[in-house]
Amino acid sequence: MTELDAIFAALADPTRRMILAMLLEDDMAVTDVAAPFEMSLAAISKHLAVLARAGLITQEQRGRLRWCKLEPDALRGASVWMQGFGQFEPVHLEAFERFLASELSSADTSG
């Protein structure tokens, strides 16, 4: 799987997009990432692993907790690829933040 494939595969899942929206606010412990979801910690860890393999997040051990951090520059490759079609504007972090926030709020109202 290419880097671009990994990014688009990671973004295809609504749970992973919601996780990215949460991480826009600040770094979070894995347990805090898992809290709003009705799924096991193991399932959330699998989602986080997909995001990490795509380079969209990094994880680090801090004491006894594992922390997740958004890596917004990872979207640059996908943005450049989409611009090749001439129909897409460059991905700006502010626009991506608005998109993820709308995803999160629509999930809150539908769930």
Side-chain angles (χ1 to χ4, degrees):
M1 178 179 290
T2 68
E3 180 181 328
L4 195 56
D5 292 338
I7 290 170
F8 283 119
L11 293 174
D13 185 274
T15 299
R16 291 191 285 267
R17 291 192 307 269
M18 287 177 58
I19 291 170
L20 291 175
M22 293 165 53
L23 292 174
L24 273 170
E25 300 298 318
D26 200 3
D27 299 358
M28 296 178 75
V30 170
T31 52
D32 294 331
V33 171
F37 297 98
E38 293 182 13
M39 61 180 72
S40 69
L41 190 56
I44 289 295
S45 292
K46 287 180 183 180
H47 283 294
L48 292 172
V50 170
L51 291 169
R53 279 193 305 274
L56 295 170
I57 67 167
T58 53
Q59 295 184 14
E60 69 176 270
Q61 197 73 31
R62 295 183 196 166
R64 295 194 302 177
L65 297 175
R66 187 166 246 349
W67 285 77
C68 303
K69 178 183 178 195
L70 181 68
E71 295 295 336
D73 286 342
L75 291 171
R76 192 174 320 267
S79 175
V80 168
W81 182 83
M82 289 187 297
Q83 288 173 44
F85 291 95
Q87 302 172 41
F88 298 95
E89 295 294 320
V91 174
H92 297 287
L93 184 56
E94 295 83 19
F96 185 60
E97 182 175 350
R98 285 192 302 274
F99 168 75
L100 289 175
S102 71
E103 288 275 310
L104 191 57
S105 67
S106 68
D108 287 344
T109 59
S110 67

